[in-house]
Amino acid sequence: MFSDEIAGKGNATVTNTMMVTDSTGRQVSVPLKPKRVVILNASNVDLFVAAGGADSIVGMTTSQALSDEVKQATANAENVGMIHSPNMEKIISLHPDLVIGVNVPFHVNLIPTLEKAGIPLILNDVSDYDKIQLD
């Protein structure tokens, strides 16, 4: 399902969004072309970079599991902590229009704070290809 959200004063801008169901079963409105993304785990960083989104990544968690190519592509992204304890203040300070994590308790626990801040959080399961796809 697609929608248009109007933002701004006077010079309104239109942002195209899409409703997706993440791996928790939540319906989340996400931008079709996110411009400022924070990613909370290495697998999603790899996938996002492979899909051509490296320039949109403004923050990510610390990881030793990234290839040299992915490290280079995301060199400008700021560190937002470790996968099991992301720094919420840092994440919010980056003004992301999307945060991507995995369906684990330490990311699920971020839902209320990010919802309150108006930041969409998608939690996925990266254990196999079929689970990566969002509805």
Side-chain angles (χ1 to χ4, degrees):
M1 176 179 294
F2 297 92
S3 64
D4 289 328
E5 292 182 0
I6 306 297
K9 297 178 183 174
N11 294 330
T13 58
V14 176
T15 304
N16 292 321
T17 61
M18 174 176 70
M19 292 299 291
V20 298
T21 303
D22 74 3
S23 66
T24 68
R26 294 178 312 123
Q27 290 282 309
V28 183
S29 176
V30 300
L32 286 175
K33 295 181 181 180
K35 293 182 179 20
R36 300 185 58 79
V37 180
V38 171
I39 303 181
L40 305 176
N41 66 304
S43 297
N44 279 317
V45 171
D46 284 339
L47 291 168
F48 209 80
V49 170
D55 291 340
S56 298
I57 300 173
V58 295
M60 55 192 240
T61 52
T62 303
S63 177
Q64 301 301 316
L66 300 173
S67 69
D68 290 338
E69 178 183 339
V70 171
K71 286 178 186 176
Q72 183 178 0
T74 58
N76 292 329
E78 296 200 35
N79 184 320
V80 297
M82 300 188 66
I83 185 173
H84 62 278
S85 59
N87 182 323
M88 283 302 294
E89 289 179 6
K90 182 64 175 182
I91 292 169
I92 292 171
S93 76
L94 294 173
H95 305 286
D97 54 4
L98 179 62
V99 175
I100 302 172
V102 289
N103 190 356
V104 293
F106 39 88
H107 290 175
V108 171
N109 292 338
L110 303 176
I111 293 170
T113 304
L114 290 174
E115 282 181 348
K116 191 176 226 180
I119 301 169
L121 169 64
I122 290 294
L123 299 174
N124 63 13
D125 181 345
V126 293
S127 62
D128 66 47
Y129 178 74
D130 290 334
K131 292 181 180 179
I132 292 171
Q133 297 179 19
L134 297 172
D135 294 332

